[in-house]
Amino acid sequence: MRKKLLIIGGSYAACELASHAREKGYGEDIVIVSEESNLPYHRPPLSKTYLKNPADEGMPLKTAAFYSTHKIDLELGTKVVSLESGTNNALLSNGTHIAFDSLALAVGARARTLTCPGTNLGNVYYLRSIADAHLLRAAIPNAENIVVIGAGFIGLEVASSLVQQPTQVTVIEAENRVLARVVAPELSRFFASAHVDRGVRLLTSRKVQSLVGENGVVRQVQLEDGTLLDADLVIVGIGSVANLELAQQLGLLVMNGIVVDSQSRTNRPNVFAAGDCALFRGPFNASGLRLESVQNAMDQSRVAASVIAGADKTYDSLPWFWSDQYDLKLQIVGLPCGATERVLRPGTASEISVFHFQNDTCICVESVNRPREHIAARRLLACGKVTKQDLEDVDFDISALMKRQSK
């Protein structure tokens, strides 16, 4: 009998793992099982252009013809109910069983839910899927007061999309600054000013106590200090939780994610994990992190696919991220974990950069509207070739530095 690779999930990691396994010569059966009924699709636009454009129905990562041509079977709108521990067998929600030789968990993460009273009211939304975005987009035209809970990437991207419409948008953040978990304080101030200047009401160091409703629909958000905010639509963006249930059924090692090694293997030899659900300790994140980015999902799944296909490959990619808000493109390369110093390189009202150093070596660059600097940093940081002395040059140009270092 032919061997079978079972991939559970329906986003970047699942799609890339299947296609790359074929590219690397894996000739056995491949089946993707996804709870979503859509073909795997691009997700970053959901918090941006999708909310503003009624004609946007989402863009598939690959066409249906691609899967057919490459003999990749799709089980869409289907859930893996259980994985039988000690066997290589999956039970699907439609009652069928799939026996597998290799298993790849690309199960992603779900939205962290608000736990205060009133979260079951109507017009309270989360944003993780195209179905979520579709429901939210339909409700937006009827909303005059929109409250966004959480000032991370999702919250601020949504706010930047909606404030351009004739609505009052209020963003509430429990931390004392926006994007507190992902960028330097200088970048937090930069983006806070950008949102306030464009009409967003921004409340930091404030916590939600409850959602207040009328006739089953949210009408107000009450803060812990007693403040009441009018709200006929609430969007919650307070982080995510890795989907660990199937991994736990198999007895896999889990923490904040499914723990994998440099080859995307779990502690069970024939089981792999990649993408938002996976926690990996690598050269750029020695303490171990669960990275939620398109880059990580793509690169990590390619490693898993290569290993499944018989290659000896390891994951050592430099992390990079991006966020689009208004006409501002934030790009981050590297991780600031362990930084001992940072250097600000201010620019104009629409440009800024922050360099993070560990001792004398640059380990992370955060930049806004400086694409050449970001691309150069992605090449140089991987080699550890940006020092504080380089930045002391008043004519510093990271692109020019890249040319000098490459000689």
Side-chain angles (χ1 to χ4, degrees):
M1 293 180 63
R2 290 173 61 87
K3 293 184 177 180
K4 181 171 291 184
L5 165 61
L6 172 61
I7 302 171
I8 305 176
S11 192
Y12 290 94
C15 177
E16 188 64 20
L17 206 154
S19 61
H20 200 69
R22 282 286 185 251
E23 182 180 324
K24 291 300 180 181
Y26 185 82
E28 309 295 343
D29 292 341
I30 299 177
V31 58
I32 296 175
V33 178
S34 171
E35 291 186 45
E36 295 193 65
S37 57
N38 303 79
L39 291 172
Y41 54 87
H42 290 273
R43 293 179 184 262
L46 295 182
S47 58
K48 310 175 187 71
T49 58
Y50 187 90
L51 294 182
K52 297 184 290 184
N53 183 6
D56 188 347
E57 289 304 322
M59 182 182 298
L61 298 173
K62 306 284 187 183
T63 65
F66 173 88
Y67 298 99
S68 176
T69 300
H70 291 81
K71 294 181 171 57
I72 299 169
D73 295 327
L74 297 173
E75 290 281 355
L76 302 178
T78 306
K79 181 178 181 179
V80 174
V81 177
S82 67
L83 294 169
E84 299 175 9
S85 182
T87 71
N88 291 340
N89 193 54
L91 172 62
L92 276 54
S93 56
N94 59 13
T96 62
H97 291 260
I98 295 181
F100 58 85
D101 298 280
S102 296
L103 172 67
L105 297 173
V107 292
R110 59 184 179 272
R112 186 181 299 278
T113 56
L114 200 62
T115 57
C116 68
T119 55
N120 60 336
L121 291 167
N123 279 2
V124 177
Y125 296 90
Y126 295 85
L127 187 56
R128 291 293 296 188
S129 68
I130 198 167
D132 294 337
H134 186 73
L135 292 172
L136 176 57
R137 188 171 67 180
I140 288 170
N142 300 316
E144 294 183 3
N145 294 287
I146 297 176
V147 173
V148 179
I149 302 175
F153 284 147
I154 293 294
L156 293 186
E157 288 171 1
V158 168
S160 69
S161 296
L162 301 186
V163 77
Q164 299 175 49
Q165 304 178 25
T167 55
Q168 172 62 59
V169 177
T170 302
V171 177
I172 304 168
E173 171 55 49
E175 300 289 339
N176 62 1
R177 59 187 178 93
V178 306
L179 300 171
R181 298 177 181 85
V182 290
V183 302
E186 294 85 352
L187 266 295
S188 292
R189 290 192 290 270
F190 179 90
F191 277 97
S193 295
H195 283 274
V196 171
D197 290 347
R198 289 165 173 82
V200 173
R201 182 183 182 188
L202 183 60
L203 304 176
T204 56
S205 300
R206 312 289 280 276
K207 294 183 178 180
V208 175
Q209 179 171 300
S210 66
L211 305 183
V212 182
E214 180 180 299
N215 298 322
V217 178
V218 68
R219 291 303 180 200
Q220 291 180 312
V221 175
Q222 182 174 12
L223 305 183
E224 286 188 345
D225 62 7
T227 301
L228 283 171
L229 304 172
D230 289 338
D232 38 33
L233 192 154
V234 171
I235 304 164
V236 183
I238 54 174
S240 67
V241 179
N243 293 317
L244 303 177
E245 292 78 8
L246 293 177
Q248 290 168 332
Q249 285 184 22
L250 290 174
L252 303 183
L253 179 61
V254 299
M255 295 171 63
N256 180 39
I258 304 169
V259 178
V260 298
D261 64 13
S262 60
Q263 293 192 317
S264 296
R265 292 184 187 272
T266 67
N267 57 305
R268 183 166 164 173
N270 68 325
V271 180
F272 299 76
D276 292 2
C277 66
L279 185 146
F280 168 60
R281 294 181 178 89
F284 302 104
N285 57 321
S287 60
L289 287 173
R290 183 171 62 85
L291 296 175
E292 293 186 86
S293 71
V294 174
Q295 169 270 323
N296 177 69
M298 301 287 278
D299 289 350
Q300 196 171 46
S301 60
R302 287 174 188 148
V303 169
S306 297
V307 174
I308 291 169
D312 183 17
K313 189 173 177 62
T314 57
Y315 181 49
D316 59 0
S317 298
L318 180 70
W320 53 271
F321 316 81
W322 82 91
S323 175
D324 293 316
Q325 301 170 38
Y326 310 110
D327 57 346
L328 306 172
K329 178 176 281 293
L330 168 64
Q331 294 175 293
I332 304 172
V333 56
L335 297 169
C337 310
T340 55
E341 185 179 352
R342 62 180 182 268
V343 177
L344 173 68
R345 290 184 60 78
T348 65
S350 62
E351 292 184 12
I352 190 173
S353 297
V354 177
F355 288 68
H356 295 257
F357 288 86
Q358 188 174 56
N359 300 320
D360 191 46
T361 301
C362 186
I363 59 173
C364 177
V365 177
E366 303 165 341
S367 58
V368 178
N369 288 355
R370 289 176 172 171
R372 290 174 62 248
E373 187 166 272
H374 173 74
I375 295 300
R378 280 168 56 178
R379 294 182 59 179
L380 289 175
L381 263 63
C383 305
K385 290 185 175 180
V386 181
T387 67
K388 284 186 290 186
Q389 183 176 355
D390 294 320
L391 286 180
E392 292 173 358
D393 183 350
V394 293
D395 298 321
F396 172 78
D397 183 328
I398 195 168
S399 299
L401 176 62
M402 182 176 66
K403 293 178 182 178
R404 294 198 300 271
Q405 295 282 14
S406 63
K407 293 180 179 179

